[in-house]
Amino acid sequence: MQEHFAAALLFDMDGTLVDSTGAVESLWGVWCERHGIDLLEVIRVCHGTRTEDTVRLVAPHLDAVTETAWLEALEASITEGQRPVDGAAELLAGLPQERWAVVTSAALPVARMRFDYCRLPLPEVLITAEVVRHGKPAPDPYLLAAERLGVPAKDCIVFEDAPAGLAAALAAGCRVVLVGNHVPAAPGVIGRIADYREVRVEAAGGGLSLRLPPGSQVE
């Protein structure tokens, strides 16, 4: 097994801890039909980015604040099409609260709904869309999570699945473990996993020892 040491672990949510592709694409499908917008174009850019940032990008002619409020209210009500990634609940339940955080581009009500529905433990540090001025791919969300945990970002390992999230984590100076096969590896990526069933974490020297399963190495 690969072994890596970190002061803290930072997790994206959608696609990383929660397989929510069905719920997310259902949400955007309703919105695109409402406004006559190409769903494929939205899907191409929405994963890993804040709802408001996606709206501004694909529909600059619409009022982003109004549309974001409508989308986030609807998203918080959609429970079908989501499930926890295998092994995520067990891994999170064993982590010291001061050593992990969730950093998501979703709004707080959506994040709370997903964690409750998927029966995942909520962290004490939860960074959502509302609390940062610049969302992913800017480094701000990961920098804020590290700050609130009281550790340097460069000593954190991030779990991510989307291009915007990978860019944000690397820009913050973090090392990254990719979840799934949606993003090519880049310098700073230390591994790739399908799920958490064979990931092991133990307390070590005031931080955490992370062991990734065989075959998780990246080229």
Side-chain angles (χ1 to χ4, degrees):
M1 287 186 131
Q2 292 189 67
E3 184 174 18
H4 304 274
F5 294 94
L9 303 181
L10 312 179
F11 297 86
D12 173 51
M13 181 179 71
D14 290 306
T16 300
L17 293 174
V18 179
D19 180 354
S20 55
T21 300
V24 170
E25 294 189 358
S26 174
L27 166 77
W28 286 109
V30 172
W31 183 77
C32 286
E33 185 174 353
R34 174 183 169 100
H35 291 292
I37 292 171
D38 182 4
L39 176 59
L40 292 179
E41 176 61 19
V42 174
I43 295 303
R44 186 181 68 82
V45 300
C46 73
H47 291 293
T49 61
R50 295 186 301 181
T51 299
E52 182 175 349
D53 295 333
T54 299
V55 171
R56 292 186 188 281
L57 185 63
V58 302
H61 59 289
L62 297 177
D63 183 273
V65 174
T66 299
E67 297 302 321
T68 298
W70 187 90
L71 280 158
E72 289 178 346
L74 177 60
E75 187 171 20
S77 72
I78 298 175
T79 57
E80 294 183 359
Q82 59 185 326
R83 55 176 294 276
V85 173
D86 290 339
E90 294 80 4
L91 178 69
L92 298 182
L95 296 177
Q97 279 284 356
E98 71 277 10
R99 294 293 174 187
W100 72 287
V102 168
V103 183
T104 176
S105 294
L108 179 59
V110 175
R112 289 189 176 276
M113 177 273 292
R114 293 221 201 287
F115 272 75
D116 181 60
Y117 182 82
C118 294
R119 299 183 178 181
L120 294 173
L122 268 173
E124 291 181 357
V125 175
L126 174 59
I127 305 300
T128 57
E130 305 93 334
V131 301
V132 291
R133 182 174 181 182
H134 302 291
K136 302 173 187 179
D140 304 38
Y142 283 114
L143 291 172
L144 180 58
E147 178 184 331
R148 290 190 176 178
L149 288 171
V151 298
K154 66 179 179 61
D155 294 335
C156 295
I157 294 177
V158 169
F159 289 79
E160 263 288 356
D161 77 302
L166 172 61
L170 293 178
C174 305
R175 290 162 290 161
V176 179
V177 175
L178 293 173
V179 181
N181 295 307
H182 311 295
V183 187
V189 172
I190 60 173
R192 185 190 299 274
I193 58 173
D195 55 49
Y196 300 93
R197 288 176 293 179
E198 296 184 64
V199 175
R200 302 290 181 264
V201 180
E202 297 178 355
L208 299 172
S209 168
L210 169 68
R211 291 180 173 87
L212 299 177
S216 61
Q217 295 89 345
V218 294
E219 297 295 331

Short mmCIF file of all heavy atoms in Angstrom, two decimals, residues 136-187:
data_model
loop_
_atom_site.label_atom_id
_atom_site.label_comp_id
_atom_site.label_asym_id
_atom_site.label_seq_id
_atom_site.Cartn_x
_atom_site.Cartn_y
_atom_site.Cartn_z
N LYS A 136 -14.46 27.11 -6.53
CA LYS A 136 -13.58 26.31 -7.38
C LYS A 136 -13.80 26.70 -8.84
O LYS A 136 -14.94 26.97 -9.23
CB LYS A 136 -13.89 24.82 -7.20
CG LYS A 136 -13.76 24.32 -5.76
CD LYS A 136 -14.26 22.87 -5.65
CE LYS A 136 -14.31 22.39 -4.22
NZ LYS A 136 -14.81 21.01 -4.09
N PRO A 137 -12.77 26.83 -9.66
CA PRO A 137 -11.40 26.35 -9.50
C PRO A 137 -10.44 27.27 -8.74
O PRO A 137 -9.25 26.99 -8.71
CB PRO A 137 -10.94 26.18 -10.94
CG PRO A 137 -11.68 27.26 -11.69
CD PRO A 137 -13.04 27.31 -11.02
N ALA A 138 -10.93 28.36 -8.17
CA ALA A 138 -10.07 29.18 -7.31
C ALA A 138 -9.69 28.39 -6.06
O ALA A 138 -10.45 27.52 -5.62
CB ALA A 138 -10.79 30.47 -6.93
N PRO A 139 -8.55 28.67 -5.46
CA PRO A 139 -8.10 27.90 -4.29
C PRO A 139 -8.82 28.25 -3.00
O PRO A 139 -8.67 27.55 -1.99
CB PRO A 139 -6.62 28.26 -4.19
CG PRO A 139 -6.53 29.63 -4.78
CD PRO A 139 -7.54 29.65 -5.91
N ASP A 140 -9.61 29.31 -3.00
CA ASP A 140 -10.21 29.85 -1.78
C ASP A 140 -10.90 28.82 -0.89
O ASP A 140 -10.70 28.82 0.33
CB ASP A 140 -11.20 30.97 -2.12
CG ASP A 140 -10.59 32.09 -2.93
OD1 ASP A 140 -9.76 31.80 -3.80
OD2 ASP A 140 -10.97 33.26 -2.72
N PRO A 141 -11.74 27.93 -1.44
CA PRO A 141 -12.44 26.99 -0.55
C PRO A 141 -11.49 26.07 0.22
O PRO A 141 -11.69 25.83 1.42
CB PRO A 141 -13.33 26.19 -1.52
CG PRO A 141 -13.52 27.09 -2.70
CD PRO A 141 -12.22 27.81 -2.83
N TYR A 142 -10.46 25.57 -0.44
CA TYR A 142 -9.53 24.68 0.25
C TYR A 142 -8.63 25.43 1.21
O TYR A 142 -8.28 24.94 2.28
CB TYR A 142 -8.73 23.87 -0.77
CG TYR A 142 -9.55 22.73 -1.33
CD1 TYR A 142 -9.93 22.70 -2.67
CD2 TYR A 142 -10.01 21.72 -0.50
CE1 TYR A 142 -10.72 21.68 -3.17
CE2 TYR A 142 -10.79 20.69 -0.99
CZ TYR A 142 -11.15 20.67 -2.32
OH TYR A 142 -11.94 19.66 -2.79
N LEU A 143 -8.25 26.63 0.87
CA LEU A 143 -7.46 27.45 1.78
C LEU A 143 -8.25 27.76 3.05
O LEU A 143 -7.71 27.73 4.16
CB LEU A 143 -7.02 28.75 1.09
CG LEU A 143 -6.00 28.60 -0.03
CD1 LEU A 143 -5.81 29.95 -0.74
CD2 LEU A 143 -4.67 28.08 0.49
N LEU A 144 -9.55 28.05 2.89
CA LEU A 144 -10.38 28.35 4.06
C LEU A 144 -10.56 27.12 4.94
O LEU A 144 -10.53 27.23 6.17
CB LEU A 144 -11.75 28.88 3.60
CG LEU A 144 -12.72 29.25 4.72
CD1 LEU A 144 -12.14 30.32 5.64
CD2 LEU A 144 -14.06 29.72 4.13
N ALA A 145 -10.74 25.96 4.33
CA ALA A 145 -10.88 24.73 5.12
C ALA A 145 -9.64 24.47 5.96
O ALA A 145 -9.72 24.16 7.16
CB ALA A 145 -11.15 23.55 4.20
N ALA A 146 -8.46 24.61 5.34
CA ALA A 146 -7.21 24.41 6.07
C ALA A 146 -7.07 25.43 7.21
O ALA A 146 -6.66 25.08 8.33
CB ALA A 146 -6.03 24.51 5.12
N GLU A 147 -7.43 26.67 6.92
CA GLU A 147 -7.35 27.71 7.94
C GLU A 147 -8.24 27.38 9.14
O GLU A 147 -7.84 27.53 10.30
CB GLU A 147 -7.76 29.05 7.33
CG GLU A 147 -7.76 30.21 8.30
CD GLU A 147 -8.27 31.50 7.68
OE1 GLU A 147 -8.13 31.68 6.46
OE2 GLU A 147 -8.83 32.32 8.44
N ARG A 148 -9.46 26.94 8.86
CA ARG A 148 -10.39 26.64 9.96
C ARG A 148 -9.96 25.40 10.75
O ARG A 148 -10.30 25.29 11.94
CB ARG A 148 -11.81 26.48 9.41
CG ARG A 148 -12.39 27.81 8.93
CD ARG A 148 -13.85 27.73 8.62
NE ARG A 148 -14.38 29.05 8.26
CZ ARG A 148 -15.63 29.29 7.90
NH1 ARG A 148 -16.50 28.27 7.84
NH2 ARG A 148 -16.03 30.50 7.60
N LEU A 149 -9.25 24.51 10.12
CA LEU A 149 -8.71 23.35 10.84
C LEU A 149 -7.42 23.70 11.58
O LEU A 149 -6.94 22.92 12.40
CB LEU A 149 -8.45 22.20 9.88
CG LEU A 149 -9.69 21.47 9.33
CD1 LEU A 149 -9.29 20.51 8.22
CD2 LEU A 149 -10.43 20.74 10.44
N GLY A 150 -6.83 24.85 11.23
CA GLY A 150 -5.60 25.29 11.88
C GLY A 150 -4.36 24.57 11.39
O GLY A 150 -3.40 24.38 12.14
N VAL A 151 -4.36 24.18 10.10
CA VAL A 151 -3.21 23.48 9.52
C VAL A 151 -2.83 24.16 8.21
O VAL A 151 -3.67 24.79 7.55
CB VAL A 151 -3.53 21.99 9.28
CG1 VAL A 151 -3.85 21.29 10.59
CG2 VAL A 151 -4.67 21.82 8.28
N PRO A 152 -1.58 24.02 7.76
CA PRO A 152 -1.19 24.57 6.47
C PRO A 152 -1.84 23.78 5.33
O PRO A 152 -1.90 22.54 5.37
CB PRO A 152 0.33 24.41 6.45
CG PRO A 152 0.73 24.15 7.86
CD PRO A 152 -0.43 23.45 8.48
N ALA A 153 -2.29 24.48 4.31
CA ALA A 153 -2.90 23.80 3.16
C ALA A 153 -1.93 22.83 2.51
O ALA A 153 -2.33 21.76 2.03
CB ALA A 153 -3.40 24.84 2.15
N LYS A 154 -0.65 23.17 2.51
CA LYS A 154 0.34 22.32 1.85
C LYS A 154 0.49 20.97 2.55
O LYS A 154 1.03 20.02 1.97
CB LYS A 154 1.70 23.02 1.78
CG LYS A 154 2.36 23.26 3.12
CD LYS A 154 3.71 23.94 2.97
CE LYS A 154 4.37 24.21 4.32
NZ LYS A 154 4.63 22.98 5.10
N ASP A 155 0.00 20.88 3.79
CA ASP A 155 0.09 19.63 4.54
C ASP A 155 -1.21 18.82 4.48
O ASP A 155 -1.35 17.82 5.19
CB ASP A 155 0.44 19.92 6.00
CG ASP A 155 1.83 20.50 6.16
OD1 ASP A 155 2.67 20.25 5.27
OD2 ASP A 155 2.08 21.21 7.15
N CYS A 156 -2.14 19.26 3.64
CA CYS A 156 -3.42 18.58 3.51
C CYS A 156 -3.45 17.70 2.25
O CYS A 156 -2.80 18.00 1.26
CB CYS A 156 -4.57 19.58 3.42
SG CYS A 156 -4.81 20.57 4.92
N ILE A 157 -4.22 16.63 2.33
CA ILE A 157 -4.51 15.80 1.16
C ILE A 157 -5.99 15.95 0.84
O ILE A 157 -6.85 15.83 1.72
CB ILE A 157 -4.15 14.33 1.40
CG1 ILE A 157 -2.64 14.18 1.56
CG2 ILE A 157 -4.65 13.45 0.25
CD1 ILE A 157 -2.18 12.76 1.87
N VAL A 158 -6.28 16.23 -0.42
CA VAL A 158 -7.64 16.47 -0.89
C VAL A 158 -8.12 15.27 -1.71
O VAL A 158 -7.36 14.71 -2.50
CB VAL A 158 -7.69 17.75 -1.76
CG1 VAL A 158 -9.02 17.87 -2.50
CG2 VAL A 158 -7.44 18.98 -0.90
N PHE A 159 -9.39 14.91 -1.53
CA PHE A 159 -10.04 13.90 -2.37
C PHE A 159 -11.00 14.64 -3.29
O PHE A 159 -11.90 15.33 -2.83
CB PHE A 159 -10.78 12.88 -1.51
CG PHE A 159 -9.87 11.96 -0.75
CD1 PHE A 159 -9.24 12.38 0.43
CD2 PHE A 159 -9.63 10.67 -1.21
CE1 PHE A 159 -8.39 11.53 1.13
CE2 PHE A 159 -8.77 9.81 -0.51
CZ PHE A 159 -8.15 10.25 0.66
N GLU A 160 -10.80 14.48 -4.60
CA GLU A 160 -11.57 15.22 -5.60
C GLU A 160 -11.91 14.34 -6.80
O GLU A 160 -11.24 13.33 -7.05
CB GLU A 160 -10.78 16.44 -6.09
CG GLU A 160 -11.12 17.74 -5.41
CD GLU A 160 -12.48 18.32 -5.80
OE1 GLU A 160 -13.15 17.72 -6.68
OE2 GLU A 160 -12.85 19.35 -5.24
N ASP A 161 -12.95 14.77 -7.55
CA ASP A 161 -13.34 14.00 -8.74
C ASP A 161 -13.51 14.85 -9.99
O ASP A 161 -13.68 14.29 -11.07
CB ASP A 161 -14.67 13.28 -8.48
CG ASP A 161 -15.86 14.23 -8.57
OD1 ASP A 161 -15.89 15.23 -7.82
OD2 ASP A 161 -16.76 14.00 -9.40
N ALA A 162 -13.50 16.17 -9.87
CA ALA A 162 -13.83 17.05 -11.00
C ALA A 162 -12.67 17.97 -11.34
O ALA A 162 -11.86 18.32 -10.48
CB ALA A 162 -15.08 17.87 -10.67
N PRO A 163 -12.59 18.39 -12.61
CA PRO A 163 -11.50 19.28 -13.01
C PRO A 163 -11.41 20.56 -12.20
O PRO A 163 -10.31 20.98 -11.81
CB PRO A 163 -11.82 19.57 -14.49
CG PRO A 163 -12.61 18.40 -14.95
CD PRO A 163 -13.43 17.98 -13.76
N ALA A 164 -12.55 21.18 -11.93
CA ALA A 164 -12.53 22.44 -11.16
C ALA A 164 -11.99 22.22 -9.76
O ALA A 164 -11.23 23.02 -9.22
CB ALA A 164 -13.92 23.06 -11.11
N GLY A 165 -12.38 21.10 -9.15
CA GLY A 165 -11.92 20.81 -7.81
C GLY A 165 -10.44 20.48 -7.77
O GLY A 165 -9.72 20.89 -6.84
N LEU A 166 -9.98 19.72 -8.76
CA LEU A 166 -8.56 19.41 -8.84
C LEU A 166 -7.75 20.69 -8.98
O LEU A 166 -6.74 20.88 -8.29
CB LEU A 166 -8.28 18.48 -10.02
CG LEU A 166 -6.81 18.21 -10.35
CD1 LEU A 166 -6.10 17.56 -9.18
CD2 LEU A 166 -6.68 17.36 -11.60
N ALA A 167 -8.18 21.57 -9.86
CA ALA A 167 -7.47 22.84 -10.05
C ALA A 167 -7.43 23.65 -8.76
O ALA A 167 -6.41 24.24 -8.41
CB ALA A 167 -8.13 23.64 -11.17
N ALA A 168 -8.55 23.69 -8.04
CA ALA A 168 -8.62 24.44 -6.79
C ALA A 168 -7.66 23.87 -5.75
O ALA A 168 -6.93 24.61 -5.07
CB ALA A 168 -10.04 24.42 -6.25
N ALA A 169 -7.65 22.54 -5.61
CA ALA A 169 -6.79 21.91 -4.62
C ALA A 169 -5.32 22.12 -4.92
O ALA A 169 -4.52 22.44 -4.03
CB ALA A 169 -7.11 20.42 -4.55
N LEU A 170 -4.94 21.96 -6.18
CA LEU A 170 -3.54 22.15 -6.56
C LEU A 170 -3.12 23.60 -6.39
O LEU A 170 -2.01 23.89 -5.94
CB LEU A 170 -3.32 21.68 -7.99
CG LEU A 170 -3.48 20.18 -8.24
CD1 LEU A 170 -3.29 19.86 -9.73
CD2 LEU A 170 -2.51 19.36 -7.39
N ALA A 171 -4.02 24.53 -6.73
CA ALA A 171 -3.71 25.95 -6.56
C ALA A 171 -3.53 26.31 -5.10
O ALA A 171 -2.79 27.25 -4.77
CB ALA A 171 -4.81 26.80 -7.19
N ALA A 172 -4.20 25.58 -4.22
CA ALA A 172 -4.06 25.81 -2.78
C ALA A 172 -2.79 25.19 -2.21
O ALA A 172 -2.46 25.41 -1.05
CB ALA A 172 -5.28 25.27 -2.04
N GLY A 173 -2.10 24.39 -3.03
CA GLY A 173 -0.87 23.76 -2.59
C GLY A 173 -1.05 22.39 -1.98
O GLY A 173 -0.12 21.84 -1.37
N CYS A 174 -2.25 21.83 -2.10
CA CYS A 174 -2.54 20.52 -1.52
C CYS A 174 -2.12 19.39 -2.45
O CYS A 174 -2.02 19.57 -3.66
CB CYS A 174 -4.04 20.38 -1.25
SG CYS A 174 -4.77 21.68 -0.23
N ARG A 175 -1.89 18.22 -1.87
CA ARG A 175 -1.78 16.99 -2.66
C ARG A 175 -3.18 16.44 -2.88
O ARG A 175 -4.10 16.73 -2.11
CB ARG A 175 -0.92 15.97 -1.93
CG ARG A 175 0.57 16.34 -1.86
CD ARG A 175 1.27 15.53 -0.77
NE ARG A 175 0.84 15.94 0.55
CZ ARG A 175 0.99 15.22 1.65
NH1 ARG A 175 1.52 14.00 1.57
NH2 ARG A 175 0.61 15.67 2.82
N VAL A 176 -3.35 15.64 -3.94
CA VAL A 176 -4.70 15.23 -4.33
C VAL A 176 -4.77 13.73 -4.61
O VAL A 176 -3.88 13.17 -5.25
CB VAL A 176 -5.17 16.00 -5.60
CG1 VAL A 176 -6.57 15.54 -6.02
CG2 VAL A 176 -5.15 17.50 -5.34
N VAL A 177 -5.85 13.12 -4.13
CA VAL A 177 -6.24 11.78 -4.53
C VAL A 177 -7.49 11.91 -5.38
O VAL A 177 -8.48 12.50 -4.94
CB VAL A 177 -6.52 10.87 -3.31
CG1 VAL A 177 -7.05 9.50 -3.78
CG2 VAL A 177 -5.29 10.71 -2.45
N LEU A 178 -7.43 11.41 -6.60
CA LEU A 178 -8.59 11.47 -7.49
C LEU A 178 -9.53 10.30 -7.21
O LEU A 178 -9.10 9.18 -6.99
CB LEU A 178 -8.14 11.44 -8.95
CG LEU A 178 -7.35 12.65 -9.44
CD1 LEU A 178 -6.83 12.42 -10.85
CD2 LEU A 178 -8.22 13.92 -9.39
N VAL A 179 -10.82 10.59 -7.24
CA VAL A 179 -11.85 9.57 -7.06
C VAL A 179 -12.54 9.37 -8.40
O VAL A 179 -13.14 10.31 -8.95
CB VAL A 179 -12.86 9.98 -5.98
CG1 VAL A 179 -13.92 8.88 -5.79
CG2 VAL A 179 -12.15 10.27 -4.65
N GLY A 180 -12.44 8.16 -8.95
CA GLY A 180 -13.02 7.90 -10.27
C GLY A 180 -12.05 8.22 -11.38
O GLY A 180 -10.89 8.57 -11.14
N ASN A 181 -12.55 8.10 -12.59
CA ASN A 181 -11.70 8.25 -13.78
C ASN A 181 -12.11 9.43 -14.65
O ASN A 181 -11.97 9.39 -15.87
CB ASN A 181 -11.75 6.96 -14.61
CG ASN A 181 -11.15 5.78 -13.86
OD1 ASN A 181 -10.02 5.85 -13.39
ND2 ASN A 181 -11.92 4.71 -13.74
N HIS A 182 -12.62 10.48 -14.02
CA HIS A 182 -13.16 11.61 -14.80
C HIS A 182 -12.12 12.67 -15.13
O HIS A 182 -12.36 13.51 -16.00
CB HIS A 182 -14.31 12.26 -14.03
CG HIS A 182 -15.33 11.28 -13.52
ND1 HIS A 182 -16.10 10.53 -14.35
CD2 HIS A 182 -15.65 10.93 -12.25
CE1 HIS A 182 -16.90 9.75 -13.62
NE2 HIS A 182 -16.63 9.97 -12.35
N VAL A 183 -10.98 12.63 -14.45
CA VAL A 183 -9.99 13.71 -14.59
C VAL A 183 -8.61 13.11 -14.81
O VAL A 183 -8.21 12.19 -14.08
CB VAL A 183 -9.95 14.57 -13.30
CG1 VAL A 183 -9.04 15.78 -13.51
CG2 VAL A 183 -11.34 15.03 -12.91
N PRO A 184 -7.86 13.59 -15.79
CA PRO A 184 -6.49 13.11 -15.97
C PRO A 184 -5.62 13.50 -14.78
O PRO A 184 -5.85 14.51 -14.13
CB PRO A 184 -6.02 13.83 -17.25
CG PRO A 184 -7.26 14.31 -17.92
CD PRO A 184 -8.25 14.56 -16.84
N ALA A 185 -4.62 12.67 -14.52
CA ALA A 185 -3.68 12.99 -13.44
C ALA A 185 -2.84 14.20 -13.81
O ALA A 185 -2.70 14.55 -14.98
CB ALA A 185 -2.79 11.78 -13.16
N ALA A 186 -2.29 14.83 -12.79
CA ALA A 186 -1.44 16.02 -12.98
C ALA A 186 -0.41 16.02 -11.87
O ALA A 186 -0.55 15.30 -10.87
CB ALA A 186 -2.30 17.28 -12.92
N PRO A 187 0.68 16.80 -12.00
CA PRO A 187 1.64 16.91 -10.91
C PRO A 187 0.93 17.34 -9.63
O PRO A 187 0.14 18.27 -9.63
CB PRO A 187 2.60 17.98 -11.40
CG PRO A 187 2.54 17.88 -12.89
CD PRO A 187 1.11 17.56 -13.20
#
